mmCIF file of all heavy atoms in Angstrom:
data_model
loop_
_atom_site.group_PDB
_atom_site.id
_atom_site.type_symbol
_atom_site.label_atom_id
_atom_site.label_comp_id
_atom_site.label_asym_id
_atom_site.label_seq_id
_atom_site.Cartn_x
_atom_site.Cartn_y
_atom_site.Cartn_z
ATOM 1 N N ARG A 1 2.883 49.800 25.904
ATOM 2 C CA ARG A 1 1.436 49.905 25.746
ATOM 3 C C ARG A 1 1.087 51.032 24.782
ATOM 4 O O ARG A 1 1.758 52.037 24.719
ATOM 5 C CB ARG A 1 0.788 50.191 27.096
ATOM 6 C CG ARG A 1 0.822 49.023 28.024
ATOM 7 C CD ARG A 1 -0.544 48.925 28.685
ATOM 8 N NE ARG A 1 -0.580 47.751 29.534
ATOM 9 C CZ ARG A 1 -1.404 46.756 29.315
ATOM 10 N NH1 ARG A 1 -2.241 46.797 28.332
ATOM 11 N NH2 ARG A 1 -1.405 45.716 30.100
ATOM 12 N N PHE A 2 -0.001 50.817 24.075
ATOM 13 C CA PHE A 2 -0.506 51.848 23.171
ATOM 14 C C PHE A 2 -1.531 52.693 23.900
ATOM 15 O O PHE A 2 -2.372 52.182 24.621
ATOM 16 C CB PHE A 2 -1.159 51.208 21.943
ATOM 17 C CG PHE A 2 -0.189 50.482 21.081
ATOM 18 C CD1 PHE A 2 -0.171 49.103 21.063
ATOM 19 C CD2 PHE A 2 0.702 51.177 20.294
ATOM 20 C CE1 PHE A 2 0.727 48.426 20.268
ATOM 21 C CE2 PHE A 2 1.599 50.509 19.489
ATOM 22 C CZ PHE A 2 1.610 49.134 19.475
ATOM 23 N N ARG A 3 -1.432 53.975 23.695
ATOM 24 C CA ARG A 3 -2.435 54.888 24.249
ATOM 25 C C ARG A 3 -3.349 55.322 23.115
ATOM 26 O O ARG A 3 -2.964 56.139 22.279
ATOM 27 C CB ARG A 3 -1.764 56.078 24.917
ATOM 28 C CG ARG A 3 -1.034 55.667 26.193
ATOM 29 C CD ARG A 3 -0.388 56.848 26.849
ATOM 30 N NE ARG A 3 0.662 57.388 25.975
ATOM 31 C CZ ARG A 3 1.455 58.383 26.315
ATOM 32 N NH1 ARG A 3 1.354 58.944 27.483
ATOM 33 N NH2 ARG A 3 2.375 58.821 25.470
ATOM 34 N N LEU A 4 -4.537 54.744 23.087
ATOM 35 C CA LEU A 4 -5.450 54.986 21.974
ATOM 36 C C LEU A 4 -5.764 56.465 21.818
ATOM 37 O O LEU A 4 -5.889 56.968 20.708
ATOM 38 C CB LEU A 4 -6.737 54.176 22.187
ATOM 39 C CG LEU A 4 -7.717 54.179 21.016
ATOM 40 C CD1 LEU A 4 -7.057 53.635 19.761
ATOM 41 C CD2 LEU A 4 -8.951 53.365 21.352
ATOM 42 N N HIS A 5 -5.867 57.155 22.935
ATOM 43 C CA HIS A 5 -6.175 58.586 22.878
ATOM 44 C C HIS A 5 -5.106 59.341 22.084
ATOM 45 O O HIS A 5 -5.419 60.289 21.353
ATOM 46 C CB HIS A 5 -6.280 59.142 24.300
ATOM 47 C CG HIS A 5 -6.636 60.594 24.337
ATOM 48 N ND1 HIS A 5 -7.905 61.046 24.050
ATOM 49 C CD2 HIS A 5 -5.893 61.691 24.596
ATOM 50 C CE1 HIS A 5 -7.912 62.362 24.146
ATOM 51 N NE2 HIS A 5 -6.712 62.782 24.484
ATOM 52 N N ASP A 6 -3.853 58.916 22.219
ATOM 53 C CA ASP A 6 -2.764 59.582 21.491
ATOM 54 C C ASP A 6 -2.686 59.132 20.037
ATOM 55 O O ASP A 6 -2.229 59.875 19.170
ATOM 56 C CB ASP A 6 -1.430 59.298 22.174
ATOM 57 C CG ASP A 6 -1.368 59.937 23.556
ATOM 58 O OD1 ASP A 6 -2.139 60.879 23.811
ATOM 59 O OD2 ASP A 6 -0.552 59.471 24.367
ATOM 60 N N LEU A 7 -3.126 57.911 19.768
ATOM 61 C CA LEU A 7 -3.007 57.373 18.412
ATOM 62 C C LEU A 7 -4.137 57.819 17.492
ATOM 63 O O LEU A 7 -3.956 57.859 16.281
ATOM 64 C CB LEU A 7 -2.988 55.838 18.452
ATOM 65 C CG LEU A 7 -1.727 55.199 18.996
ATOM 66 C CD1 LEU A 7 -1.872 53.701 19.050
ATOM 67 C CD2 LEU A 7 -0.520 55.570 18.150
ATOM 68 N N LEU A 8 -5.299 58.131 18.048
ATOM 69 C CA LEU A 8 -6.453 58.442 17.204
ATOM 70 C C LEU A 8 -6.197 59.553 16.193
ATOM 71 O O LEU A 8 -6.537 59.379 15.022
ATOM 72 C CB LEU A 8 -7.669 58.772 18.074
ATOM 73 C CG LEU A 8 -8.445 57.551 18.548
ATOM 74 C CD1 LEU A 8 -9.545 57.973 19.504
ATOM 75 C CD2 LEU A 8 -9.026 56.782 17.391
ATOM 76 N N PRO A 9 -5.598 60.683 16.572
ATOM 77 C CA PRO A 9 -5.350 61.720 15.548
ATOM 78 C C PRO A 9 -4.433 61.219 14.429
ATOM 79 O O PRO A 9 -4.646 61.540 13.254
ATOM 80 C CB PRO A 9 -4.684 62.849 16.340
ATOM 81 C CG PRO A 9 -5.072 62.615 17.748
ATOM 82 C CD PRO A 9 -5.235 61.136 17.900
ATOM 83 N N ARG A 10 -3.442 60.421 14.773
ATOM 84 C CA ARG A 10 -2.521 59.913 13.747
ATOM 85 C C ARG A 10 -3.225 58.908 12.834
ATOM 86 O O ARG A 10 -3.003 58.905 11.617
ATOM 87 C CB ARG A 10 -1.311 59.268 14.413
ATOM 88 C CG ARG A 10 -0.472 60.284 15.185
ATOM 89 C CD ARG A 10 0.625 59.626 15.973
ATOM 90 N NE ARG A 10 1.557 58.938 15.098
ATOM 91 C CZ ARG A 10 2.483 58.086 15.514
ATOM 92 N NH1 ARG A 10 2.619 57.841 16.788
ATOM 93 N NH2 ARG A 10 3.289 57.494 14.665
ATOM 94 N N LEU A 11 -4.068 58.043 13.425
ATOM 95 C CA LEU A 11 -4.803 57.076 12.617
ATOM 96 C C LEU A 11 -5.780 57.780 11.680
ATOM 97 O O LEU A 11 -5.907 57.413 10.512
ATOM 98 C CB LEU A 11 -5.568 56.107 13.529
ATOM 99 C CG LEU A 11 -4.718 55.092 14.275
ATOM 100 C CD1 LEU A 11 -5.573 54.323 15.270
ATOM 101 C CD2 LEU A 11 -4.057 54.139 13.309
ATOM 102 N N THR A 12 -6.446 58.797 12.199
ATOM 103 C CA THR A 12 -7.396 59.546 11.375
ATOM 104 C C THR A 12 -6.682 60.215 10.212
ATOM 105 O O THR A 12 -7.134 60.164 9.069
ATOM 106 C CB THR A 12 -8.113 60.605 12.229
ATOM 107 O OG1 THR A 12 -8.718 59.950 13.345
ATOM 108 C CG2 THR A 12 -9.167 61.319 11.433
ATOM 109 N N ARG A 13 -5.538 60.813 10.499
ATOM 110 C CA ARG A 13 -4.773 61.488 9.443
ATOM 111 C C ARG A 13 -4.308 60.483 8.387
ATOM 112 O O ARG A 13 -4.377 60.752 7.184
ATOM 113 C CB ARG A 13 -3.573 62.186 10.086
ATOM 114 C CG ARG A 13 -2.753 62.982 9.110
ATOM 115 C CD ARG A 13 -1.705 63.801 9.860
ATOM 116 N NE ARG A 13 -0.909 64.590 8.952
ATOM 117 C CZ ARG A 13 0.268 64.186 8.445
ATOM 118 N NH1 ARG A 13 0.771 63.033 8.793
ATOM 119 N NH2 ARG A 13 0.932 64.959 7.617
ATOM 120 N N ALA A 14 -3.872 59.318 8.825
ATOM 121 C CA ALA A 14 -3.414 58.302 7.883
ATOM 122 C C ALA A 14 -4.568 57.821 7.000
ATOM 123 O O ALA A 14 -4.394 57.620 5.800
ATOM 124 C CB ALA A 14 -2.804 57.120 8.647
ATOM 125 N N MET A 15 -5.746 57.653 7.595
ATOM 126 C CA MET A 15 -6.893 57.194 6.807
ATOM 127 C C MET A 15 -7.288 58.229 5.760
ATOM 128 O O MET A 15 -7.678 57.871 4.646
ATOM 129 C CB MET A 15 -8.093 56.914 7.716
ATOM 130 C CG MET A 15 -7.921 55.684 8.560
ATOM 131 S SD MET A 15 -9.421 55.170 9.418
ATOM 132 C CE MET A 15 -10.037 56.682 10.074
ATOM 133 N N VAL A 16 -7.171 59.507 6.109
ATOM 134 C CA VAL A 16 -7.559 60.565 5.171
ATOM 135 C C VAL A 16 -6.539 60.686 4.046
ATOM 136 O O VAL A 16 -6.903 60.882 2.886
ATOM 137 C CB VAL A 16 -7.703 61.899 5.923
ATOM 138 C CG1 VAL A 16 -7.849 63.057 4.942
ATOM 139 C CG2 VAL A 16 -8.908 61.839 6.848
ATOM 140 N N LEU A 17 -5.263 60.542 4.365
ATOM 141 C CA LEU A 17 -4.219 60.793 3.369
ATOM 142 C C LEU A 17 -3.968 59.601 2.451
ATOM 143 O O LEU A 17 -3.517 59.783 1.325
ATOM 144 C CB LEU A 17 -2.908 61.162 4.082
ATOM 145 C CG LEU A 17 -2.933 62.507 4.808
ATOM 146 C CD1 LEU A 17 -1.593 62.748 5.485
ATOM 147 C CD2 LEU A 17 -3.242 63.636 3.841
ATOM 148 N N CYS A 18 -4.229 58.397 2.933
ATOM 149 C CA CYS A 18 -3.933 57.206 2.124
ATOM 150 C C CYS A 18 -5.017 56.982 1.090
ATOM 151 O O CYS A 18 -6.201 57.146 1.366
ATOM 152 C CB CYS A 18 -3.811 55.976 3.021
ATOM 153 S SG CYS A 18 -2.373 56.036 4.086
ATOM 154 N N LYS A 19 -4.585 56.573 -0.085
ATOM 155 C CA LYS A 19 -5.551 56.241 -1.124
ATOM 156 C C LYS A 19 -6.134 54.858 -0.820
ATOM 157 O O LYS A 19 -5.444 53.985 -0.298
ATOM 158 C CB LYS A 19 -4.860 56.207 -2.494
ATOM 159 C CG LYS A 19 -4.354 57.560 -2.922
ATOM 160 C CD LYS A 19 -3.707 57.460 -4.273
ATOM 161 C CE LYS A 19 -3.202 58.833 -4.713
ATOM 162 N NZ LYS A 19 -2.508 58.776 -5.995
ATOM 163 N N PRO A 20 -7.414 54.645 -1.166
ATOM 164 C CA PRO A 20 -8.003 53.329 -0.923
ATOM 165 C C PRO A 20 -7.312 52.265 -1.765
ATOM 166 O O PRO A 20 -6.915 52.511 -2.908
ATOM 167 C CB PRO A 20 -9.464 53.499 -1.327
ATOM 168 C CG PRO A 20 -9.547 54.761 -2.091
ATOM 169 C CD PRO A 20 -8.359 55.600 -1.727
ATOM 170 N N CYS A 21 -7.161 51.101 -1.195
ATOM 171 C CA CYS A 21 -6.499 49.990 -1.882
ATOM 172 C C CYS A 21 -7.563 49.011 -2.366
ATOM 173 O O CYS A 21 -8.446 48.642 -1.597
ATOM 174 C CB CYS A 21 -5.543 49.299 -0.904
ATOM 175 S SG CYS A 21 -4.512 48.067 -1.685
ATOM 176 N N PRO A 22 -7.494 48.577 -3.631
ATOM 177 C CA PRO A 22 -8.490 47.635 -4.126
ATOM 178 C C PRO A 22 -8.413 46.301 -3.368
ATOM 179 O O PRO A 22 -7.340 45.867 -2.946
ATOM 180 C CB PRO A 22 -8.140 47.443 -5.595
ATOM 181 C CG PRO A 22 -6.847 48.124 -5.815
ATOM 182 C CD PRO A 22 -6.528 48.973 -4.630
ATOM 183 N N GLU A 23 -9.565 45.667 -3.205
ATOM 184 C CA GLU A 23 -9.619 44.435 -2.429
ATOM 185 C C GLU A 23 -8.706 43.334 -2.957
ATOM 186 O O GLU A 23 -8.061 42.649 -2.171
ATOM 187 C CB GLU A 23 -11.065 43.936 -2.357
ATOM 188 C CG GLU A 23 -11.205 42.758 -1.426
ATOM 189 C CD GLU A 23 -12.633 42.302 -1.258
ATOM 190 O OE1 GLU A 23 -13.556 43.076 -1.577
ATOM 191 O OE2 GLU A 23 -12.811 41.163 -0.818
ATOM 192 N N PRO A 24 -8.603 43.123 -4.273
ATOM 193 C CA PRO A 24 -7.683 42.067 -4.743
ATOM 194 C C PRO A 24 -6.244 42.294 -4.284
ATOM 195 O O PRO A 24 -5.537 41.342 -3.962
ATOM 196 C CB PRO A 24 -7.784 42.155 -6.269
ATOM 197 C CG PRO A 24 -9.137 42.724 -6.523
ATOM 198 C CD PRO A 24 -9.397 43.665 -5.368
ATOM 199 N N MET A 25 -5.828 43.563 -4.225
ATOM 200 C CA MET A 25 -4.475 43.848 -3.750
ATOM 201 C C MET A 25 -4.356 43.519 -2.260
ATOM 202 O O MET A 25 -3.327 43.022 -1.798
ATOM 203 C CB MET A 25 -4.120 45.315 -3.985
ATOM 204 C CG MET A 25 -3.956 45.663 -5.445
ATOM 205 S SD MET A 25 -2.626 44.757 -6.240
ATOM 206 C CE MET A 25 -1.217 45.506 -5.450
ATOM 207 N N LEU A 26 -5.402 43.807 -1.492
ATOM 208 C CA LEU A 26 -5.382 43.474 -0.069
ATOM 209 C C LEU A 26 -5.283 41.964 0.130
ATOM 210 O O LEU A 26 -4.597 41.484 1.012
ATOM 211 C CB LEU A 26 -6.655 43.994 0.614
ATOM 212 C CG LEU A 26 -6.730 45.496 0.819
ATOM 213 C CD1 LEU A 26 -8.083 45.861 1.391
ATOM 214 C CD2 LEU A 26 -5.625 45.962 1.743
ATOM 215 N N ARG A 27 -5.983 41.214 -0.705
ATOM 216 C CA ARG A 27 -5.966 39.754 -0.561
ATOM 217 C C ARG A 27 -4.590 39.176 -0.876
ATOM 218 O O ARG A 27 -4.236 38.103 -0.388
ATOM 219 C CB ARG A 27 -7.038 39.122 -1.442
ATOM 220 C CG ARG A 27 -8.433 39.456 -0.969
ATOM 221 C CD ARG A 27 -9.474 38.573 -1.607
ATOM 222 N NE ARG A 27 -10.805 38.941 -1.161
ATOM 223 C CZ ARG A 27 -11.335 38.542 -0.003
ATOM 224 N NH1 ARG A 27 -10.637 37.791 0.807
ATOM 225 N NH2 ARG A 27 -12.552 38.913 0.329
ATOM 226 N N LEU A 28 -3.828 39.884 -1.701
ATOM 227 C CA LEU A 28 -2.477 39.404 -2.012
ATOM 228 C C LEU A 28 -1.501 39.666 -0.872
ATOM 229 O O LEU A 28 -0.469 39.025 -0.786
ATOM 230 C CB LEU A 28 -1.963 40.096 -3.281
ATOM 231 C CG LEU A 28 -2.618 39.657 -4.589
ATOM 232 C CD1 LEU A 28 -2.086 40.502 -5.732
ATOM 233 C CD2 LEU A 28 -2.369 38.189 -4.859
ATOM 234 N N ALA A 29 -1.856 40.595 0.006
ATOM 235 C CA ALA A 29 -0.975 40.913 1.120
ATOM 236 C C ALA A 29 -0.917 39.724 2.077
ATOM 237 O O ALA A 29 -1.920 39.103 2.395
ATOM 238 C CB ALA A 29 -1.478 42.161 1.850
ATOM 239 N N SER A 30 0.278 39.422 2.553
ATOM 240 C CA SER A 30 0.456 38.213 3.352
ATOM 241 C C SER A 30 -0.251 38.292 4.692
ATOM 242 O O SER A 30 -0.629 37.268 5.252
ATOM 243 C CB SER A 30 1.949 37.965 3.581
ATOM 244 O OG SER A 30 2.515 39.045 4.270
ATOM 245 N N ASN A 31 -0.446 39.478 5.227
ATOM 246 C CA ASN A 31 -1.033 39.580 6.561
ATOM 247 C C ASN A 31 -2.534 39.878 6.533
ATOM 248 O O ASN A 31 -3.132 40.106 7.561
ATOM 249 C CB ASN A 31 -0.308 40.644 7.384
ATOM 250 C CG ASN A 31 -0.438 42.018 6.762
ATOM 251 O OD1 ASN A 31 -0.954 42.152 5.665
ATOM 252 N ND2 ASN A 31 0.031 43.020 7.449
ATOM 253 N N PHE A 32 -3.153 39.868 5.360
ATOM 254 C CA PHE A 32 -4.568 40.228 5.279
ATOM 255 C C PHE A 32 -5.465 39.146 5.880
ATOM 256 O O PHE A 32 -6.415 39.437 6.571
ATOM 257 C CB PHE A 32 -4.965 40.477 3.812
ATOM 258 C CG PHE A 32 -6.385 40.932 3.639
ATOM 259 C CD1 PHE A 32 -6.788 42.172 4.110
ATOM 260 C CD2 PHE A 32 -7.308 40.128 3.029
ATOM 261 C CE1 PHE A 32 -8.086 42.607 3.964
ATOM 262 C CE2 PHE A 32 -8.623 40.557 2.875
ATOM 263 C CZ PHE A 32 -9.011 41.789 3.339
ATOM 264 N N LEU A 33 -5.107 37.897 5.644
ATOM 265 C CA LEU A 33 -5.961 36.796 6.099
ATOM 266 C C LEU A 33 -5.502 36.230 7.443
ATOM 267 O O LEU A 33 -6.149 35.370 7.995
ATOM 268 C CB LEU A 33 -5.978 35.668 5.063
ATOM 269 C CG LEU A 33 -6.581 36.060 3.703
ATOM 270 C CD1 LEU A 33 -6.416 34.913 2.721
ATOM 271 C CD2 LEU A 33 -8.054 36.396 3.859
ATOM 272 N N HIS A 34 -4.369 36.687 7.946
ATOM 273 C CA HIS A 34 -3.832 36.074 9.188
ATOM 274 C C HIS A 34 -4.119 36.923 10.384
ATOM 275 O O HIS A 34 -4.248 38.059 10.404
ATOM 276 C CB HIS A 34 -2.331 35.845 9.056
ATOM 277 C CG HIS A 34 -1.992 34.909 7.936
ATOM 278 N ND1 HIS A 34 -2.335 33.583 7.976
ATOM 279 C CD2 HIS A 34 -1.397 35.103 6.760
ATOM 280 C CE1 HIS A 34 -1.918 32.996 6.868
ATOM 281 N NE2 HIS A 34 -1.346 33.923 6.095
#
């Protein structure tokens, strides 16, 4: 099971550190539409 309380700091850090990805690149990803 995932504990959201424990994951939130890691998710927040990942969102801040990752560069935004352009939408066309997201659409090419195989798991974007599934």
Side-chain angles (χ1 to χ4, degrees):
R1 289 224 176 243
F2 294 107
R3 291 181 295 184
L4 188 58
H5 182 74
D6 294 339
L7 288 177
L8 276 175
R10 295 173 62 192
L11 288 173
T12 305
R13 183 172 181 266
M15 289 190 315
V16 169
L17 292 179
C18 292
K19 294 181 180 177
C21 188
E23 187 176 342
M25 291 298 290
L26 287 175
R27 292 194 182 278
L28 288 176
S30 61
N31 62 353
F32 183 67
L33 297 174
H34 299 293

